[in-house]
């Protein structure tokens, strides 16, 4: 299974750590110990103490770094950090006081082992790390710790999406905290926000405020992608004496076909593509000069087969209107929609007469409504007004570099680059050969 972004989502497997990590003070290695001596040379006798076996300096060994041995008050969101010596891999076993095994998984960069769920409060745990050397021999280290008491001040987190949802290729993952996370604490919180996708795609979190953090991939999601997320904040220090109330997960978000709409003010046409192929060009009427449509990239926020546009409260009795609308698809919080407009058919494809919406015929509006999903991108070009970030889901109105600036931790690619051919490889590919490509996730 391929996975992506800021660490692998813990999935419930007992993890194996591979590779040699250098470390000092490793358990199981008694460096610099002198060999025991016999009585030879002190009296000429042949008797005396039996020589003790020397510790093997090449034996596989592990040192548990975090949590410290017999530590108390350990965070229920703790991660297991250990170091290896003379080892090619290691296994981690964590058990609670009842002997129940807690599953978990290594971060993709191997920096720590993450339990698959929040640990219990005021509970004792036994931790065993077994290192395996290249010769197959093992070295085992055991430790124990007790977790913190249940906190009284907690922060809840809520998700816009639910399990088994379906969305368009531009859909962001959006989460809200019940209390603002202090800026100094956001990096530690963000490190516990895991997203995985199949296939693996780069992406990052962006803090829009202390209470909102959103995730988007570097490019639009690939059609058919499966996305899972775990915000592992249960028991996590959220700053100012507050702790995460509990983990929240998103399971089996399915990304649909790549439906992308481009509305061009110059041609008064909307070009609709599906999976890279143009499937329709629709005549439209955009916002007139006094109420122009916004140029920029948004995604569809919500959809209504039937609704009523009521602007009396906003515009007053002289300019306001109340109109039934069919096949409405919201683009901005400011009130711009794609919708059916039978009253402007004669202007569609020719001139702009709307209050900022993208008007189209009832037949075209129904056809498009049945094609699209929440999260499908809509790009409007060439109007008198530029889209303001925050007026809708404007994640794609920012460049990737701009989006990365909103992260509290540096971006690290999850996608392994394809290696360049070596000089010994033929420059001409073999047409009969088959090829596969794989990507390895990283933190």
């Amino acid at each position: 299974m391929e996975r992506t972004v800021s660490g692998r989502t813990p999935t419930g497997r007992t993890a194996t750590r591979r590779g040699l990590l250098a470390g000092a003070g490793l358990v199981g290695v008694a460096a610099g110990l002198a060999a025991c001596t016999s009585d030879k040379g002190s009296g000429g006798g042949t008797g005396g103490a039996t020589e003790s076996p020397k510790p093997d300096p090449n034996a596989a060994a592990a040192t548990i770094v975090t949590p410290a041995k017999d530590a108390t008050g350990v965070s229920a969101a703790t991660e297991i950090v250990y170091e290896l010596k003379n080892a090619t891999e290691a296994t981690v076993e964590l058990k609670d006081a009842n002997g129940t095994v807690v599953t978990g998984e290594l971060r993709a960069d191997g920096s720590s082992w993450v339990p698959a769920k929040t640990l219990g409060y005021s509970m004792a745990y036994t931790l065993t790390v077994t290192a395996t050397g290249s010769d197959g021999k093992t070295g085992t280290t055991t430790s124990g710790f007790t977790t913190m008491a249940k906190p009284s001040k907690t922060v809840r987190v809520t998700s816009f999406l639910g399990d088994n949802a379906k969305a368009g290729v531009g859909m962001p993952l959006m989460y809200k905290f019940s209390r603002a996370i202090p800026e100094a604490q956001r990096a530690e919180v963000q490190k516990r926000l895991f997203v995985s996708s199949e296939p693996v795609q780069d992406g990052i979190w962006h803090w829009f405020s202390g209470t909102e953090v959103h995730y988007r991939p570097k490019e639009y999601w690939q059609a058919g992608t499966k996305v899972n997320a775990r915000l592992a904040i249960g028991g996590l220090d959220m700053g100012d004496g507050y702790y995460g109330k509990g983990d929240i997960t998103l399971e089996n978000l399915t990304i649909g076909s790549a439906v992308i709409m481009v509305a061009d003010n110059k041609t008064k046409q909307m070009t609709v593509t599906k999976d890279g192929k143009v499937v329709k060009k629709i005549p439209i009427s955009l916002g007139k000069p006094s109420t122009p449509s916004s140029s920029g990239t948004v995604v569809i926020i919500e959809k209504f087969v039937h609704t009523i546009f009521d602007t009396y409260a906003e515009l007053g009795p002289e300019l306001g209107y109340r109109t039934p609308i069919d096949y409405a698809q919201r683009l901005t919080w400011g009130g711009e929609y794609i919708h059916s407009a039978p009253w402007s058919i004669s202007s569609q494809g020719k001139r702009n007469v709307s209050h900022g919406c993208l008007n189209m015929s009832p037949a075209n509006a129904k056809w498009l409504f049945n094609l699209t999903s929440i999260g499908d991108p809509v790009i409007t070009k060439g109007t008198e007004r530029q889209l303001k970030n925050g007026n809708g889901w404007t994640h794609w109105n920012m460049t990737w570099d701009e989006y990365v600036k909103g992260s509290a931790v540096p971006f690290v690619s999850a996608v392994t680059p394809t290696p360049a051919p070596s000089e010994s490889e033929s420059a001409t590919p073999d047409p009969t050969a088959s090829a596969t490509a794989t990507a390895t996730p990283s933190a």
Side-chain angles (χ1 to χ4, degrees):
M1 181 179 293
E2 296 179 316
R3 306 178 184 279
T4 188
V5 335
S6 56
R8 218 184 277 179
T9 303
T11 59
R13 297 204 310 263
T14 297
T16 297
R17 181 172 188 168
R18 300 184 180 277
L20 177 62
L21 301 182
L26 303 183
V27 172
V29 178
L33 290 183
C36 294
T37 58
S38 69
D39 289 338
K40 290 181 180 180
S42 61
T46 58
T50 302
E51 184 172 320
S52 299
K54 297 179 181 179
D56 182 359
N58 297 316
T63 297
I64 297 172
V65 178
T66 304
K69 185 177 178 63
D70 299 326
T72 59
V74 173
S75 170
T78 191
E79 300 182 15
I80 309 304
V81 179
Y82 57 91
E83 295 176 338
L84 302 180
K85 185 176 182 181
N86 302 324
T88 56
E89 63 181 37
T91 56
V92 175
E93 183 180 72
L94 182 64
K95 291 183 178 180
D96 65 19
N98 300 317
T100 303
V101 174
V102 178
T103 57
E105 190 172 60
L106 279 175
R107 285 186 178 271
D109 64 356
S111 60
S112 63
W113 185 88
V114 183
K117 64 179 182 179
T118 302
L119 301 184
Y121 293 111
S122 299
M123 185 171 287
Y125 287 87
T126 301
L127 172 63
T128 302
V129 179
T130 301
T132 302
S134 58
D135 57 2
K137 295 182 179 180
T138 61
T140 298
T141 301
T142 300
S143 182
F145 62 91
T146 303
T147 54
M148 62 193 285
K150 186 175 182 179
S152 59
K153 298 192 295 184
T154 59
V155 178
R156 291 176 292 103
V157 62
T158 55
S159 170
F160 174 83
L161 293 169
D163 293 345
N164 303 308
K166 295 183 179 179
V169 296
M171 188 70 204
L173 309 184
M174 298 176 287
Y175 293 87
K176 288 188 177 182
F177 298 100
S178 61
R179 182 182 185 276
I181 309 302
E183 191 169 351
Q185 201 67 24
R186 292 177 193 173
E188 292 305 310
V189 172
Q190 187 174 328
K191 290 175 184 177
R192 296 284 294 180
L193 312 183
F194 300 95
V195 176
S196 65
S197 69
E198 302 172 20
V200 173
Q201 290 150 79
D202 278 335
I204 202 165
W205 295 93
H206 181 105
W207 292 85
F208 284 89
S209 69
T211 58
E212 286 199 40
V213 63
H214 299 182
Y215 180 95
R216 59 154 269 200
K218 185 175 183 179
E219 308 291 343
Y220 293 141
W221 295 110
Q222 296 177 37
T225 296
K226 300 291 185 181
V227 183
N228 291 277
R230 176 192 174 201
L231 276 67
I233 66 163
L236 183 67
D237 183 358
M238 308 290 271
D240 299 332
Y242 284 79
Y243 294 84
K245 184 176 180 63
D247 292 2
I248 184 171
T249 60
L250 172 66
E251 298 182 1
N252 197 34
L253 169 65
T254 301
I255 304 301
S257 299
V259 176
I260 300 173
M261 293 145 277
V262 179
D264 190 340
N265 186 39
K266 183 176 181 180
T267 62
K268 308 294 188 292
Q269 299 282 324
M270 174 182 280
T271 301
V272 182
T273 60
K274 180 178 180 181
D275 295 328
K277 297 181 180 179
V278 175
V279 292
K280 195 162 191 173
K281 291 193 174 184
I282 300 174
I284 56 175
S285 179
L286 298 88
K288 57 184 182 288
S290 60
T291 55
S293 304
S294 298
S295 287
T297 303
V298 293
V299 300
I300 294 172
I301 298 172
E302 53 188 352
K303 300 173 63 171
F304 305 97
V305 175
H306 306 293
T307 189
I308 295 177
F309 285 178
D310 187 344
T311 63
Y312 278 100
E314 179 185 357
L315 301 178
E318 294 184 0
L319 298 177
Y321 57 90
R322 186 178 292 115
T323 305
I325 298 293
D326 294 333
Y327 306 114
Q329 304 189 64
R330 180 186 281 273
L331 304 181
T332 71
W333 302 125
E336 296 177 43
Y337 288 76
I338 300 169
H339 65 81
S340 168
W343 57 85
S344 69
I345 289 178
S346 62
S347 297
Q348 292 164 18
K350 300 175 183 176
R351 63 188 65 86
N352 295 334
V353 296
S354 85
H355 291 85
C357 293
L358 305 183
N359 288 183
M360 57 183 61
S361 71
N364 284 329
K366 180 179 181 179
W367 175 87
L368 187 65
F369 189 94
N370 291 333
L371 178 69
T372 60
S373 299
I374 302 297
D376 282 337
V378 179
I379 303 165
T380 302
K381 304 191 302 183
T383 67
E384 298 88 345
R385 178 169 60 193
Q386 294 300 309
L387 177 69
K388 292 183 178 179
N389 286 334
N391 185 16
W393 294 344
T394 56
H395 305 70
W396 299 99
N397 203 52
M398 289 183 270
T399 67
W400 173 248
D401 289 342
E402 289 171 338
Y403 201 83
V404 168
K405 289 179 181 178
S407 172
V409 300
F411 168 70
V412 178
S413 176
V415 180
T416 302
T418 303
S422 65
E423 293 183 0
S424 61
E425 293 178 322
S426 171
T428 303
D430 180 355
T432 65
S434 62
T436 58
T438 59
T440 303
S442 61

